[in-house]
Amino acid sequence: MTRQNAPVAERRPRRVSMEQVRERLGEPDAMIKSKIQDHIGEHTRRFIAHSPFLTMATADASGRADCSPRGDYPGFVKVLDEHLLAIPDRPGNRIADSFRNLAENDGIGLLFFVPGSRETLRVNGRAYATDEPDVLARMQTEARTPELAIAVDVEEVYFHCGRALIRSRLWDPAGQALAGELPTLGEMAVAQFGLDVDPRLLEARLEEGYRKLY
Amino acid sequence: MQLTILDRIDRPAEDVVALILRGAHGPLAPWEPGAHVDLALPNWLTRQYSLCGDPRDRERYRIAVRHERLSRGGSDYVHRYLREGRTLEVSLPRNTFRLVPAPSYLFLAGGIGITAIVPMLRAAAGAGVPCSLVYAGRTYASMPFAGELRAAYGDRVTIVATGHDGRPDLAALAAGLAPETVVYCCGPASLLADCEAVFPAERLHVERFRPQPRTFGPDTAFDVACARSGRTVPVPADESLLDALNHAGLPVPAGCREGVCGSCEVTVLEGEPEHRDDVGAAPGRMYACVSRSRSPRLVLDL
Ligand code: FES
């Protein structure tokens, strides 16, 4: 049987070495290298204070990697000082992947977004779980205080150029029509777990759950 | 909501900024001493601040904000990121700390609590009613409007820098209190507690920024029937009335969510609410963020 969407080459895409990558891309220019800072400056602080969303990458000791979204009101990530951030742990799916990874391997990569901004902010460093009361107190929202937070010792900070967001038209409201082409979460769950229920019922339950955010 | 423009940011004391908000479309809603507004910040947070300008000036509001050490995002935003010229939405003024007519007044303010008192003092002094103010703060430099108040009201104002002078002698003030004098106090919990200990309750009016630490019986589940929409919403034991209504799609506005600001007031038609707020609900009203129910069912005008 021939597959309809068979890849052009019926084998794994070939691998190129780092030398070959460098050959193709050229050396990064000094300007780009020098924009990497080792602390939170005034502009980065303002960016973080207006960011309601970030992605957080961690990996376990064996290198098994994971990336997860975090979001709340703008400024939900607290800048404790020039070298230290704290990210609240809000109720999510209770999968402690990031915490487990950080316990084995403290490397962390964060990418902050500000709606409407084409540039994104990258912050890399070392992180650990904390329950420091003064830190958690600053994260209280809707009368709820998180149980845990992630403290990040900042090592590298830099703005990432806007090309990816421009090409992706990420903030163009017209782009939101794309979501309409996807199966609903209910439909996906019904298919994946082979459930015998009306996906709309499941959908309603999930929507119900989404109303309670804290 | 009213649209305003942030005309100016002043620094009346260490760690305190005063914001001058001008109505974007002409005069702003009138208010009386003791009133506060909700300020909607660009970071989606809403905070309550007492109006501390002149009620006769319909063009602008003045509020003052202390940079809290453990800011949850409100005062930190105001201090670090707000810029002059920006538009900001403020609510209509709300007053849960009214100045009742009295033959004389004693005003007590602690730190940033002075904001609610400034217009009260102006109104009382302006009306020729005998009044005095004792204003306490850690250091003189940390106390907004201290100089301005001394200049305007002279000896009627006593400034107490507690780091230097120690705490004000409230017992002596209480002992010397004329029988008809009404006391207004706004400040940190410790000052309010001290005032409550020495002044007669029926002549003491206080305003809190944080709830009084108190304990209540266990939270129990109850039902709310919403008379206007005809809906009944169950309130589980682990959810507030405010959250239950909001989750059910019956939006009730909220500010502090701690029972101090009064923005989540709802009208009770039937049933017996269990009041847990620090505003002091009027008969037939309750504050949905903290208060619950003694009866298994409440009927609300929603
Ligand atoms: S939200 Fe402030 S009293 Fe309820």
Side-chain angles (χ1 to χ4, degrees):
Chain A
M1 196 178 88
T2 52
R3 278 192 287 154
Q4 287 240 312
N5 292 322
V8 181
E10 291 261 338
R11 57 189 173 84
R12 298 188 58 72
R14 73 176 172 204
R15 192 183 286 269
V16 297
S17 68
M18 189 59 207
E19 289 73 45
Q20 290 169 309
V21 170
R22 268 289 156 241
E23 245 169 55
R24 308 271 164 94
L25 299 185
E27 285 300 317
D29 50 35
M31 222 266 288
I32 302 288
K33 271 190 190 158
S34 71
K35 77 176 185 173
I36 301 183
Q37 295 187 302
D38 63 358
H39 67 282
I40 310 283
E42 199 192 314
H43 292 124
T44 41
R45 187 175 197 133
R46 184 171 269 276
F47 196 94
I48 293 170
H50 291 85
S51 172
F53 179 77
L54 62 85
T55 59
M56 177 164 85
T58 56
D60 70 9
S62 73
R64 221 176 53 127
D66 174 78
C67 187
S68 70
R70 301 281 155 140
D72 210 314
Y73 63 89
F76 73 107
V77 173
K78 305 298 175 187
V79 178
L80 302 181
D81 69 36
E82 285 196 310
H83 300 281
L84 194 58
L85 298 180
I87 308 165
D89 186 53
R90 299 281 177 212
N93 47 16
R94 295 214 190 92
I95 302 177
D97 278 340
S98 309
F99 284 120
R100 206 180 41 227
N101 286 347
L102 290 172
E104 291 179 18
N105 172 353
D106 63 1
I108 193 166
L110 306 173
L111 181 62
F112 289 87
F113 294 77
V114 171
S117 163
R118 301 179 298 189
E119 284 70 41
T120 46
L121 178 71
R122 296 174 65 160
V123 176
N124 302 325
R126 308 276 158 189
Y128 60 93
T130 180
D131 65 352
E132 188 67 37
D134 275 7
V135 172
L136 298 180
R138 293 184 53 180
M139 298 171 165
Q140 194 201 73
T141 173
E142 304 212 348
R144 306 229 184 213
T145 307
E147 301 276 333
L148 290 169
I150 295 171
V152 182
D153 286 309
V154 171
E155 291 178 340
E156 293 179 309
V157 180
Y158 53 105
F159 283 104
H160 197 101
C161 90
R163 286 200 196 85
L165 270 76
I166 295 168
R167 285 191 296 251
S168 64
R169 305 186 201 170
L170 193 60
W171 307 127
D172 180 354
Q176 296 194 9
L178 290 168
E181 304 298 327
L182 303 180
T184 66
L185 199 51
E187 285 165 351
M188 287 193 271
V190 165
Q192 187 174 349
F193 302 115
L195 302 175
D196 184 22
V197 295
D198 183 343
R200 278 169 307 181
L201 262 176
L202 208 58
E203 198 64 26
R205 286 286 299 279
L206 292 164
E207 280 302 322
E208 186 80 359
Y210 278 174
R211 285 209 188 142
K212 195 166 173 173
L213 291 174
Y214 294 100
Chain B
M1 280 292 184
Q2 316 181 73
L3 197 63
T4 67
I5 295 162
L6 176 53
D7 248 2
R8 213 171 70 230
I9 303 177
D10 291 337
R11 299 209 162 260
E14 265 172 18
D15 291 330
V16 177
V17 290
L19 309 182
I20 311 296
L21 300 160
R22 178 169 48 87
H25 310 296
L28 291 164
W31 57 282
E32 283 172 11
H36 67 261
V37 291
D38 298 339
L39 176 68
L41 292 168
N43 62 356
W44 313 344
L45 298 179
T46 298
R47 292 290 184 263
Q48 292 74 45
Y49 298 107
S50 296
L51 293 172
C52 64
D54 184 347
R56 288 167 307 188
D57 181 356
R58 296 286 309 279
E59 300 300 317
R60 45 190 73 72
Y61 290 158
R62 179 172 75 165
I63 60 171
V65 182
R66 177 176 301 286
H67 198 169
E68 297 295 336
R69 188 179 71 88
L70 296 181
S71 169
R72 292 169 292 166
S75 69
D76 197 53
Y77 192 93
V78 168
H79 275 257
R80 288 181 192 277
Y81 307 112
L82 268 190
R83 295 197 276 218
E84 289 176 351
R86 198 190 191 290
T87 55
L88 288 170
E89 288 202 321
V90 300
S91 69
L92 294 174
R94 196 179 307 114
N95 202 337
T96 54
F97 192 45
R98 281 183 191 284
L99 191 62
V100 298
S104 69
Y105 298 104
L106 169 61
F107 297 111
L108 292 154
I112 196 68
I114 191 64
T115 51
I117 300 292
V118 167
M120 292 192 168
L121 183 61
R122 179 190 285 115
V129 179
C131 55
S132 58
L133 164 68
V134 176
Y135 176 15
R138 219 171 3 89
T139 61
Y140 190 79
S142 71
M143 297 166 70
F145 315 129
E148 162 183 331
L149 290 165
R150 278 290 289 182
Y153 307 106
D155 286 350
R156 283 178 282 182
V157 175
T158 309
I159 308 286
V160 184
T162 56
H164 181 260
D165 312 330
R167 314 214 7 190
D169 188 350
L170 297 179
L173 284 170
L177 194 70
E180 72 285 356
T181 301
V182 170
V183 185
Y184 277 81
C185 177
C186 184
S190 57
L191 178 68
L192 301 184
D194 291 351
C195 282
E196 279 165 341
V198 300
F199 293 110
E202 65 286 0
R203 284 195 280 144
L204 176 65
H205 299 257
V206 300
E207 183 170 66
R208 302 176 185 278
F209 338 121
R210 296 311 298 270
Q212 215 173 346
R214 283 181 291 172
T215 47
F216 300 100
D219 295 345
T220 52
F222 57 99
D223 283 335
V224 275
C226 300
R228 266 186 281 152
S229 61
R231 296 192 39 198
T232 295
V233 177
V235 183
D238 66 348
E239 209 172 21
S240 70
L241 171 58
L242 179 73
D243 285 340
L245 289 169
N246 285 338
H247 297 159
L250 291 158
V252 172
C256 66
R257 289 174 178 270
E258 299 184 317
V260 296
C261 77
S263 45
C264 64
E265 186 181 81
V266 291
T267 301
V268 186
L269 302 174
E270 262 173 59
E272 194 193 342
E274 182 197 347
H275 297 290
R276 296 182 176 188
D277 60 275
D278 286 290
V279 187
R285 301 292 161 89
M286 71 185 290
Y287 297 103
C289 63
V290 289
S291 296
R292 304 190 66 86
S293 181
R294 279 190 220 288
S295 47
R297 182 166 171 273
L298 288 177
V299 182
L300 300 181
D301 186 22
L302 275 178

